[in-house]
Amino acid sequence: MELNLDTGEGRYQIRAYANDFIQVNQQKIRHSLIVMPDKLIEPWPPHCIADLTTDYLQIIIDLRPSIVLLGSGEDLAFPDAALLNVFYQQKIGIEVMNNGAACRTYTVLMSEERNVAAAFLLAE
């Protein structure tokens, strides 16, 4: 699906997505990544929910977002509640959704100038 909202805000915008990629600006990325309006971290090591560890999540926490969107892949899958608790302890909101919903939500929150981080799990 192509996303065309162009607010001119932020450096890293999600332009399109499919089951096997997330397009950030003009780059189609086919591995897991973290994107914020002013930061792009790729590759991000985990490929699926089962791969998530507190060390991988700490990378997101260190970015100090106010909200995190965790794209679990094509299908919605939730990590263990103990992993989500690391965000709550830091007073960072987290929403888990499939990658398509996370792309659309990131675009809206970025256009509202929110301090959002989206972490996408993509199997290689």
Side-chain angles (χ1 to χ4, degrees):
M1 171 178 274
E2 189 172 327
L3 301 174
N4 287 314
L5 177 65
D6 189 354
T7 64
E9 300 295 327
R11 217 169 94 199
Y12 296 106
Q13 299 180 25
I14 295 175
R15 298 293 186 175
Y17 65 90
N19 294 339
D20 62 340
F21 74 87
I22 308 289
Q23 183 176 332
V24 178
N25 296 345
Q26 303 308 313
Q27 179 184 5
K28 284 186 178 178
I29 301 172
R30 298 182 185 277
H31 47 257
S32 298
L33 66 133
I34 301 167
V35 63
M36 293 183 73
D38 63 344
K39 292 176 187 67
L40 177 63
I41 298 171
E42 54 97 13
W44 183 46
H47 301 289
C48 64
I49 288 290
D51 293 342
L52 288 177
T53 65
T54 54
D55 289 339
Y56 293 145
L57 298 178
Q58 188 63 47
I59 295 168
I60 303 168
I61 290 167
D62 289 345
L63 297 171
R64 306 305 307 157
S66 58
I67 187 164
V68 173
L69 308 174
L70 178 59
S72 62
E74 183 179 352
D75 297 318
L76 179 60
F78 288 90
D80 185 83
L83 288 173
L84 296 178
N85 194 42
V86 299
F87 291 98
Y88 304 136
Q89 290 173 346
Q90 297 294 318
K91 299 190 180 357
I92 297 172
I94 182 164
E95 294 290 333
V96 180
M97 53 193 74
N98 68 27
N99 282 352
C103 285
R104 294 185 301 271
T105 305
Y106 172 84
T107 300
V108 170
L109 293 177
M110 191 193 74
S111 73
E112 295 174 351
E113 299 183 25
R114 302 276 302 274
N115 184 23
V116 59
F120 296 98
L121 295 168
L122 289 166
E124 291 185 354

